[in-house]
């Protein structure tokens, strides 16, 4: 069943010139789902196409002039794809997600003022994570596994459960698409004077639930439990690291609660159970999936008092917090009974999930070394040949048993390949 998506991508590939597998995936999801969303345009940025345009215009560089040049390229790219005319400031915001922030995945709406003075979406952009990666590197990205001091002895080699790179890449893309299609939590956050950590938790839960249903729809089945374990691992390890290192947040009010924000395991596990029992549902209208995602989040994501109580249990003296919420649940049960129950469940269930995946085997850096990518190898190439060359090197990164250091070096080289191409004589 996992071949379903790949076969569809091949069928949708434009025969006129070669596309990278990443570009095929973007084109497939854009054509099948984003283009059929009617409330406002959604554009999934094909970073390969955007960076090729930068290279053609010799627009790479850190100067303000180069930054403005790239913003104008983004502006034209968006206008071509959607018909939307961005302002210079809006295009400049998008430009950042194609350069300094391109290794992450984001959903970024552009806003306009509605007639009721509430802000509405002019469009929404999806920025997928840079495709120069593999199973290990992507696992590290979504878990923060290499954050100094965060995971202590937990290692990639020791993880008892893993998702494939293709599963993680698709999950990330559909997660961000879910944010852009979200008509409830995302708009609320953009119409709130100061968005709260619990608001973000609800939004992230929604995007994650939608993504899981979309993977099931596309034939990437059975990822829900492992995804829940990875998210919980992040909550346990990175959540404590955020609390222990408040200075790294530079005053961001959401920073300390990042671990609880991404406690998405309850919603994921509930969705996993739902799709197992309702296999045909995910093949129905996408609008039904969006509605079901809200229904699951409303029932299984953390309530506000539960969210803040769990954060207090992680960041303060646990016994004192439990004693306080126990008393609250007795004296004011309508407000605190659920919160007390959820804190107790988290303190029991989250460590259980942690033990299901955390492993402590030492990482092995053994493997073959990778030769450097030399500009001379691709400087004379036209677009079709360049894309083929890049895809070959990405495939090697996924399939060849490179040493860990060689994997990181190859990723860095591929992240710079379009910039190097732009400097060819």
């Amino acid at each position: 069943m996992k071949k379903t998506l790949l076969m569809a991508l091949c069928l949708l590939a434009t025969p006129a010139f070669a596309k990278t597998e990443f570009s095929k995936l973007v084109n497939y999801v854009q054509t099948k789902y984003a283009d059929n969303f009617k409330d406002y345009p959604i554009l999934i940025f094909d970073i390969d196409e955007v960076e090729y345009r930068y290279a053609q215009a010799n627009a790479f560089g850190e100067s303000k002039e180069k930054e403005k040049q790239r913003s104008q390229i983004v502006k034209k790219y968006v206008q071509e794809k959607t018909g939307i005319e961005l302002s210079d400031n809006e295009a400049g915001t998008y430009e950042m997600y194609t350069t300094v922030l391109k290794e992450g995945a984001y959903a970024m709406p552009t806003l306009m003022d509605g007639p009721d003075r509430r802000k509405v979406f002019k469009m929404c952009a999806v920025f997928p994570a840079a495709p120069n990666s593999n199973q290990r590197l992507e696992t590290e990205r979504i878990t923060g596994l290499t954050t100094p001091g965060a995971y202590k002895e937990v290692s990639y080699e020791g993880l008892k459960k893993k998702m494939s790179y293709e599963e993680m890449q698709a999950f990330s893309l559909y997660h961000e698409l879910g944010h852009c299609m979200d008509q409830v939590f995302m708009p609320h956050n953009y119409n709130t004077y100061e968005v709260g950590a619990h608001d973000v938790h609800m939004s992230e839960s929604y995007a994650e639930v939608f993504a899981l249903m979309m993977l099931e729809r596309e034939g990437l089945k059975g990822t829900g439990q492992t995804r829940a374990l990875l998210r919980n691992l992040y909550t346990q390890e990175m959540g404590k690291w955020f609390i222990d290192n408040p200075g790294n947040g530079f005053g961001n009010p959401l920073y300390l609660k990042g671990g609880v924000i991404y406690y998405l395991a309850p919603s994921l596990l509930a969705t996993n159970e739902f799709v197992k029992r309702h296999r045909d549902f995910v093949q129905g209208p996408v609008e039904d999936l969006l509605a079901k995602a809200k229904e699951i989040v409303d029932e299984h994501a953390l309530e506000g008092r539960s969210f803040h109580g769990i954060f207090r249990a992680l960041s303060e003296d646990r016994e004192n917090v439990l004693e306080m919420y126990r008393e609250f649940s007795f004296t004011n049960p309508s407000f605190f009974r659920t919160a007390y129950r959820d804190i107790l469940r988290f303190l029991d269930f989250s460590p259980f999930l942690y033990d299901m995946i955390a492993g402590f085997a030492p990482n092995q850096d053994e493997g073959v070394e990778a030769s450097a990518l030399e500009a001379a190898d691709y400087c004379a190439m036209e677009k079709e040949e360049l894309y083929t060359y890049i895809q070959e090197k990405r495939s090697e990164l996924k399939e060849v048993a490179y040493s860990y250091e060689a994997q990181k070096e190859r990723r860095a080289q591929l992240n710079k390949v379009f910039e190097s191409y732009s400097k060819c004589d």
Side-chain angles (χ1 to χ4, degrees):
M1 292 301 291
K2 292 183 181 181
K3 294 181 179 179
T4 303
L5 180 57
L6 295 177
M7 291 173 64
L9 295 179
C10 292
L11 290 172
L12 283 177
T14 303
F17 61 87
K19 284 179 176 283
T20 62
E21 291 301 317
F22 170 76
S23 292
K24 293 176 187 177
L25 176 61
V26 168
N27 182 62
Y28 174 76
V29 179
Q30 179 72 47
T31 302
K32 188 172 182 180
Y33 297 115
D35 286 347
N36 289 309
F37 188 75
K38 303 303 182 185
D39 290 11
Y40 42 79
I42 296 175
L43 177 60
I44 306 171
F45 269 62
D46 181 348
I47 191 62
D48 286 344
E49 179 63 27
V50 171
E51 287 204 290
Y52 183 79
R53 294 188 185 201
Y54 290 167
Q56 290 294 94
N58 193 24
F60 286 100
E62 297 182 2
S63 69
K64 288 294 182 181
E65 290 73 19
K66 293 294 186 182
E67 184 179 318
K68 290 179 182 177
Q69 187 181 4
R70 291 193 298 271
S71 295
Q72 291 305 307
I73 292 171
V74 167
K75 191 173 183 178
K76 183 178 180 181
Y77 176 79
V78 171
Q79 199 280 329
E80 287 179 10
K81 299 293 185 181
T82 68
I84 296 291
E85 184 75 23
L86 296 178
S87 69
D88 289 346
N89 286 339
E90 291 165 346
T93 297
Y94 281 0
E95 182 275 336
M96 291 191 301
Y97 292 95
T98 68
T99 51
V100 295
L101 298 175
K102 72 176 184 179
E103 292 193 39
Y106 309 92
M108 179 55 58
T110 295
L111 306 175
M112 59 183 178
D113 290 329
D116 61 354
R117 301 184 65 83
R118 287 175 61 84
K119 292 181 178 179
V120 296
F121 291 173
K122 181 179 184 178
M123 65 168 289
C124 191
V126 171
F127 296 93
N132 306 312
S133 193
N134 60 20
Q135 184 184 39
R136 177 171 184 169
L137 298 175
E138 183 67 3
T139 300
E140 291 176 348
R141 185 186 75 82
I142 66 173
T143 60
L145 193 58
T146 59
T147 304
Y151 279 82
K152 301 178 179 64
E153 297 181 359
V154 177
S155 65
Y156 172 79
E157 297 287 357
L159 293 180
K160 302 171 189 176
K161 301 281 187 180
K162 297 183 178 77
M163 295 175 68
S164 72
Y165 173 67
E166 289 74 18
E167 290 168 343
M168 288 184 285
Q169 184 184 45
F171 218 115
S172 177
L173 177 54
Y174 283 115
H175 176 106
E176 303 307 332
L177 180 65
H179 278 311
C180 280
M181 289 184 168
D182 177 5
Q183 296 291 278
V184 182
F185 303 107
M186 189 85 144
H188 168 78
N189 291 348
Y190 276 87
N191 282 287
T192 299
Y193 177 72
E194 184 175 355
V195 63
H198 179 254
D199 297 322
V200 180
H201 168 72
M202 298 295 283
S203 179
E204 294 300 330
S205 298
Y206 180 90
E208 198 81 344
V209 166
F210 175 75
L212 177 54
M213 288 193 288
M214 290 300 289
L215 258 67
E216 292 284 331
R217 180 189 185 94
E218 289 297 326
L220 297 172
K221 297 185 179 298
T223 64
Q225 285 189 342
T226 302
R227 184 73 172 189
L229 294 176
L230 287 167
R231 288 302 198 184
N232 181 74
L233 183 70
Y234 182 92
T235 293
Q236 283 288 320
E237 296 286 13
M238 290 302 297
K240 293 170 185 174
W241 188 84
F242 294 141
I243 292 166
D244 292 340
N245 297 274
N248 292 330
F250 300 102
N252 185 334
L254 305 179
Y255 173 82
L256 288 177
K257 297 176 181 176
V260 190
I261 285 173
Y262 283 93
Y263 184 54
L264 310 180
S267 294
L268 281 166
L269 292 173
T271 308
N272 185 64
E273 186 65 20
F274 173 81
V275 297
K276 286 195 300 184
R277 293 175 178 271
H278 303 87
R279 295 288 188 190
D280 293 338
F281 177 84
V282 295
Q283 301 302 327
V286 173
E287 292 78 9
D288 290 353
L289 273 64
L290 294 167
K292 176 55 69 172
K294 180 183 182 301
E295 184 181 313
I296 291 172
V297 169
D298 285 342
E299 183 175 354
H300 295 282
L302 296 173
E303 294 184 356
R305 292 186 183 87
S306 302
F307 180 95
H308 295 294
I310 288 171
F311 173 72
R312 295 190 67 176
L314 288 174
S315 59
E316 303 175 24
D317 182 274
R318 181 174 299 180
E319 292 305 316
N320 288 343
V321 171
L322 283 173
E323 182 178 351
M324 177 176 26
Y325 276 84
R326 185 187 305 120
E327 182 176 341
F328 286 167
S329 72
F330 177 73
T331 58
N332 202 341
S334 61
F335 281 93
F336 289 101
R337 181 189 294 116
T338 297
Y340 179 54
R341 179 203 66 195
D342 288 346
I343 295 169
L344 289 175
R345 185 172 187 269
F346 172 85
L347 293 175
D348 175 72
F349 193 54
S350 184
F352 166 77
L353 296 179
Y354 176 87
D355 290 339
M356 292 284 289
I357 190 171
F360 311 96
N363 282 325
Q364 302 293 323
D365 192 31
E366 299 175 356
V368 300
E369 296 306 306
S371 59
L373 303 185
E374 301 292 345
D377 294 338
Y378 52 81
C379 266
M381 293 180 178
E382 298 296 329
K383 184 177 184 180
E384 180 177 356
E385 295 175 292
L386 179 65
Y387 275 28
T388 300
Y389 174 84
I390 290 171
Q391 183 55 51
E392 288 174 354
K393 299 307 175 184
R394 285 176 180 167
S395 296
E396 289 177 6
L397 180 57
K398 290 188 292 184
E399 297 165 7
V400 177
Y402 288 132
S403 70
Y404 179 53
E405 291 302 318
Q407 292 175 46
K408 293 190 293 182
E409 181 60 26
R410 175 54 60 88
R411 174 179 60 186
Q413 293 167 355
L414 283 168
N415 281 343
K416 291 286 189 178
V417 71
F418 285 103
E419 182 173 356
S420 297
Y421 184 73
S422 72
K423 298 174 182 177
C424 293
D425 295 328

